[in-house]
Every structure is written in C-alpha cells, then in structure tokens.
Amino acid sequence: ILNVEQSPQSLHVQEGDSTNFTCSFPSSNFYALHWYRWETAKSPEALFVMTLNGDEKKKGRISATLNTKEGYSYLYIKGSQPEDSATYLCAFKAAGNKLTFGGGTRVLVKP
Amino acid sequence: SQTIHQWPATLVQPVGSPLSLECTVEGTSNPNLYWYRQAAGRGLQLLFYSVGIGQISSEVPQNLSASRPQDRQFILSSKKLLLSDSGFYLCAWSDTGLTEQFFGPGTRLTVL
C-alpha cells in the first residue's frame, strides 16, 4: 500500500494572502505526481502532471514544485481569492496505470 | 472532445438492496477506466480500474464488483448494499501513460 500524505488537512486563508501546502509520497519507483483541484459539487480537475525532479509548473496564480528524491511536492497559491476555495488533491503514480490519492487539503479563502 | 457521463447523480438505497452505477465515455477509444469512492471525511480511494473490455482489476476487497461490457462503458455493482457502501462514487478515464485522469460528475450514494 502506497502512502500519500497531504498536510494540512484544511486551512483558512485571508483573501489576498499567499499560501502553500504539502504532498509527500514514496521516493522510490516514482513515475509522476498529479495535482487536482476539486470544488464542491463539481468533478476534480487536473492542475498539473509533474514528472521530473526539480519540476516547477504554473497555472495563473497556482504553482507547484516537485522533489522526487525526498518525496514531496508543494502547491502554492499566490494572492488567494475566494474562487480558489476547493480541496486540492495530489496523486502519486508509480509504474502502471493507477494513481494513489492523498487525503486532500481543503482550502477556504475568506473575503 | 471527450465527455464522461455518470448516472444516477444521487441514490438512496436500503441495506441489502442491489446497486448498479453506470459510467460512459464519449469521444475516445480504448480508454483506461476507473471507479473511485470518497467516504465521508476521506480522500479518493481507487476501487477498480480497467484497461480494456472485460479486464477488471480490483484494488480493495469489498462488497462491490465492476464490469466493462463495452469499450466505453464501466459499471459498478453490488448484490447487497451495506451501510458502509455510502459515499461519493466517481468514474474517471485516462489515456495510457502520464496523462491526467478526467472525472465524471459523480454519484452520491446513501445506504439507509
């Protein structure tokens, strides 16, 4: 059983502030690390697929970094807005087709 | 473009009753298909995945089964529901390789 942990489980952010949170995963047999954004009453949507150690991806005010040697990825939200409120899921992919999801970090941005 | 459909959107079933949830994908061929469940307060747990017609891999022992009778159809079933089967069920598809998975709208199942 692969252990994919996300922390914190939830966080409250004031509008305009920046924040970040962590996904940790096995450092061996790494293939890819996925980030998804899951808004209430909607389906999870892919944010990033990261494959290389040191990878950095950016989409608007959201960015992510990857360290495969130590087994962690950070997701950053710059200048948080209320529409950023969602659960952010990371998923680890070893060889094969399966993703193992973390428990998610629920972000609530307060105006 | 590709789309993924799930139905029903919500379902309330008594304990011991059967279950059938359906997922269909349009606009792609030979997709990998997945069933996930989110139990209350938890992340997404992979239940089944399929790389082709009739090919099903089960991830966790449970009260559920899956079938893939057609290339773009994936069905989640149970003969007798348990209270612990309550949760939010998501179907997803992907191409092979590193591509992301695309999720359906989900089914909220409540077993009473």
Side-chain angles (χ1 to χ4, degrees), chain B residues 2-17:
Chain B
Q2 300 89 1
T3 55
I4 178 168
H5 305 278
Q6 273 185 257
W7 64 91
T10 60
L11 192 58
V12 180
Q13 292 284 97
V15 169
S17 63

Side-chain angles (χ1 to χ4, degrees), chain B residues 9-70:
Chain B
T10 60
L11 192 58
V12 180
Q13 292 284 97
V15 169
S17 63
L19 173 74
S20 181
L21 303 182
E22 189 163 342
C23 171
T24 58
V25 181
E26 296 176 358
T28 186
S29 59
N30 198 31
N32 293 332
L33 295 173
Y34 310 85
W35 277 111
Y36 290 92
R37 175 172 63 197
Q38 184 198 31
R42 296 186 173 183
L44 287 179
Q45 181 186 37
L46 179 64
L47 301 175
F48 301 96
Y49 72 96
S50 171
V51 298
I53 295 174
Q55 300 178 63
I56 309 294
S57 294
S58 174
E59 287 300 293
V60 292
Q62 60 204 311
N63 185 41
L64 302 168
S65 62
S67 62
R68 185 170 177 174
Q70 301 180 47

Side-chain angles (χ1 to χ4, degrees), chain A residues 25 30-35 48-58 63-69 72-76, chain B residues 98:
Chain A
F25 52 85
F30 177 86
Y31 199 67
L33 193 283
H34 295 218
W35 280 101
F48 307 115
V49 178
M50 310 179 77
T51 58
L52 299 175
N53 184 43
D55 224 0
E56 291 189 30
K57 299 270 186 177
K58 187 176 181 181
S63 60
T65 61
L66 179 67
N67 184 322
T68 60
K69 293 183 178 180
Y72 64 83
S73 175
Y74 289 121
L75 192 88
Y76 300 87
Chain B
L98 299 175

Side-chain angles (χ1 to χ4, degrees), chain A residues 2-6 23-26 33 90-93 100-103:
Chain A
L2 298 174
N3 200 26
V4 181
E5 300 283 346
Q6 290 188 247
C23 172
S24 62
F25 52 85
L33 193 283
C90 70
F92 170 78
K93 185 181 177 90
T100 300
F101 280 84

